[in-house]
C-alpha cells in the first residue's frame, strides 16, 4: 500500500500498519517527517524492506502497483493537488482504492470519487476522531464513506488504526460527519473553557470542578480529556491545530446551511474561533482557544 502524509497523525498510523505486516511505500513533502519514519525503522525490529524499497520520491510513486493508497492530508485542496497535480491518480492502476483519511469538503470528495471511478479507481473517505493518542494506540473512530465494495477492501487497514470503524454511506458521508463532529467538539471546548474560567475567577479549584462535572451531565470530551490533559498542565500539545479545527467548523456550518439548517450557535462559535486564529500564533494547538479567552479577560480588565 501507499501512504502520503507523515505528520502528527500519519506517522503513528504508518507505524501501526508496518507493525501489522503491511508493506508500505510512504511519502511526505516535509523532510523532517521522512527522517522521523527512518528513525523509527532504525530503532525497531522492522526491516527497511518493509517500506517496499524505501520512502517514495514523490506522491505518484506510492500508487504504482499498490492495492490501496492512504492519504492523511490537511484539506481538500491538498488532496486534489496530490491526486491530480502530483499525478497520484494517473499512476494508480484500475482496482486501486484511495483512502482519504484527513478532513475534506464532502462535496469535493464526491466529485473526486466520480473522477477516480472514471479511471477504475475507488475512493473511500475515512476521516478519524481520537487525536494523536488515538493514532498511537490504534483506538481511533473511523467514519467512512464510499462504495460498499471499496470499503470492504480497505476495512482491514482501517481496523488496524481504529477501534470503531463505521461505514456511513456513499462518498462524502465520512467527511460530512467528521466536520459536524468537530463543530460539536469545538463548541464544547469553547463553552467548557468559558465555564471553567468563570469558576476559577469565582474561586473554584479547576481540578475539583472537572471531577464534579465529569460525574455530572455537563461532561464532554473537553472536560474528560482536553482540559485535564492539555489545558491544566499548560502543555497545549494535543497535536491538532487551531486553524485545522476552524477549517472543519466552517465546512460543517456551510453543510448545515446547504441542507436548510440555520446554524446559529455553530456560526457564533465559528466566529469566536476565527477571532482566536487571528490573534494566536500560526502553529497554535486547538486547545489554545483558552489562551485567547484569557487574553480577552485581561483586555477587559485593562
Amino acid at each position: 500500500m501507499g501512504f502520503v502524509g507523515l505528520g502528527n497523525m500519519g506517522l503513528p498510523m504508518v507505524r501501526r500498519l508496518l507493525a501489522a505486516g503491511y508493506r508500505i511505500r510512504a511519502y511526505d513533502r516535509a523532510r523532517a517527517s521522512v527522517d522521523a519514519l527512518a528513525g523509527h525503522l532504525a530503532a525497531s525490529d522492522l526491516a527497511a524492506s518493509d517500506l517496499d524499497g524505501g520512502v517514495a520520491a514523490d506522491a505518484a510513486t506510492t500508487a504504482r502497483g499498490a492495492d490501496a493508497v492512504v492519504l492523511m492530508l490537511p484539506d481538500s485542496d491538498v488532496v486534489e493537488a496530490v491526486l491530480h497535480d502530483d499525478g497520484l491518480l494517473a499512476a494508480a492502476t484500475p482496482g486501486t482504492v484511495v483512502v482519504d483519511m484527513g478532513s475534506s469538503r464532502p462535496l469535493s470528495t464526491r466529485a473526486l470519487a466520480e473522477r477516480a471511478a472514471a479511471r477504475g479507481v475507488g475512493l473511500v473517505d475515512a476521516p478519524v476522531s481520537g487525536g494523536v493518542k488515538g493514532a498511537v494506540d490504534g483506538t481511533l473512530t473511523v467514519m467512512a464513506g464510499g462504495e460498499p465494495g471499496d470499503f470492504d477492501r480497505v476495512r482491514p487497514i482501517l481496523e488496524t488504526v481504529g477501534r470503531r470503524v463505521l461505514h456511513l454511506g456513499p462518498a462524502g458521508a465520512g467527511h460530512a460527519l467528521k466536520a459536524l463532529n468537530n463543530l460539536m467538539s469545538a463548541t464544547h471546548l469553547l463553552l467548557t473553557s468559558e465555564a471553567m474560567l468563570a469558576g476559577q475567577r469565582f474561586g473554584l479549584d479547576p481540578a475539583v470542578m472537572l471531577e464534579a462535572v465529569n460525574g455530572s451531565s455537563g461532561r464532554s470530551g473537553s472536560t474528560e480529556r482536553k482540559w485535564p490533559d492539555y489545558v491544566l498542565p499548560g502543555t497545549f500539545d494535543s497535536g491538532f491545530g487551531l486553524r485545522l479545527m476552524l477549517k472543519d467548523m466552517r465546512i460543517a456550518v456551510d453543510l448545515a446551511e446547504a441542507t436548510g439548517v440555520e446554524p446559529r450557535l455553530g456560526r457564533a462559535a465559528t466566529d469566536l474561533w476565527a477571532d482566536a486564529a487571528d490573534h494566536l500564533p500560526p502553529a497554535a494547538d486547538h486547545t489554545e482557544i483558552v489562551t485567547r479567552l484569557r487574553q480577552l479577560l485581561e483586555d477587559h480588565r485593562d
Side-chain angles (χ1 to χ4, degrees):
M1 61 181 290
F3 200 107
V4 181
L6 301 172
N8 290 335
M9 295 292 288
L11 183 58
M13 291 167 70
V14 167
R15 289 172 176 170
R16 291 197 64 82
L17 291 164
L18 285 169
Y22 285 94
R23 292 177 59 81
I24 296 177
R25 192 181 300 123
Y27 173 75
D28 196 290
R29 290 182 180 179
R31 185 68 211 179
S33 298
V34 173
D35 290 344
L37 179 58
H40 167 71
L41 288 170
S44 70
D45 294 331
L46 298 168
S49 60
D50 290 326
L51 274 174
D52 197 17
V55 176
D58 52 51
T61 302
T62 67
R64 295 193 176 101
D67 296 315
V69 182
V70 173
L71 310 178
M72 182 48 87
L73 301 168
D75 56 45
S76 290
D77 293 339
V78 178
V79 169
E80 292 192 24
V82 166
L83 288 178
H84 298 295
D85 300 345
D86 294 351
L88 190 152
L89 186 57
T93 56
T96 300
V97 180
V98 174
V99 189
D100 180 1
M101 300 194 73
S103 298
S104 298
R105 297 185 298 269
L107 294 180
S108 296
T109 300
R110 285 185 178 179
L112 280 175
E114 291 175 0
R115 277 179 267 168
R119 300 185 61 88
V121 174
L123 190 143
V124 170
D125 51 304
V128 300
S129 182
V132 174
K133 186 176 188 303
V136 171
D137 296 341
T139 57
L140 296 167
T141 293
V142 183
M143 311 168 211
E147 292 297 320
D150 293 333
F151 170 75
D152 288 341
R153 287 189 60 198
V154 299
R155 183 165 191 154
I157 295 172
L158 304 180
E159 290 179 339
T160 300
V161 299
R163 175 179 294 169
R164 184 180 292 109
V165 178
L166 303 171
H167 184 224
L168 304 171
H175 283 148
L177 184 54
K178 169 64 175 180
L180 294 168
N181 174 82
N182 277 12
L183 177 62
M184 296 167 67
S185 176
T187 305
H188 296 163
L189 179 56
L190 181 62
L191 185 56
T192 294
S193 299
E194 290 178 346
M196 291 294 295
L197 293 177
Q200 286 179 273
R201 287 167 71 88
F202 187 74
L204 301 177
D205 184 322
V208 177
M209 288 176 66
L210 290 172
E211 182 178 358
V213 170
N214 285 334
S216 305
S217 58
R219 68 184 180 276
S220 69
S222 296
T223 63
E224 292 176 336
R225 292 183 299 279
K226 295 181 183 182
W227 258 79
D229 293 349
Y230 310 117
V231 178
L232 280 188
T235 55
F236 302 110
D237 58 352
S238 76
F240 187 62
L242 186 146
R243 285 160 181 79
L244 289 176
M245 180 67 88
L246 176 59
K247 176 211 60 169
D248 290 350
M249 296 173 75
R250 286 172 167 159
I251 292 173
V253 167
D254 288 347
L255 178 63
E257 291 175 341
T259 63
V261 173
E262 181 64 23
R264 289 176 290 178
L265 178 57
R267 191 182 297 111
T270 301
D271 288 344
L272 290 168
W273 277 79
D275 168 77
D278 288 340
H279 289 86
L280 294 175
D285 190 84
H286 82 283
T287 55
E288 291 184 70
I289 185 72
V290 182
T291 301
R292 178 56 183 160
L293 295 179
R294 287 172 176 156
Q295 290 174 352
L296 292 170
L297 283 174
E298 290 301 316
D299 291 346
H300 180 70
R301 178 181 297 173
D302 293 342

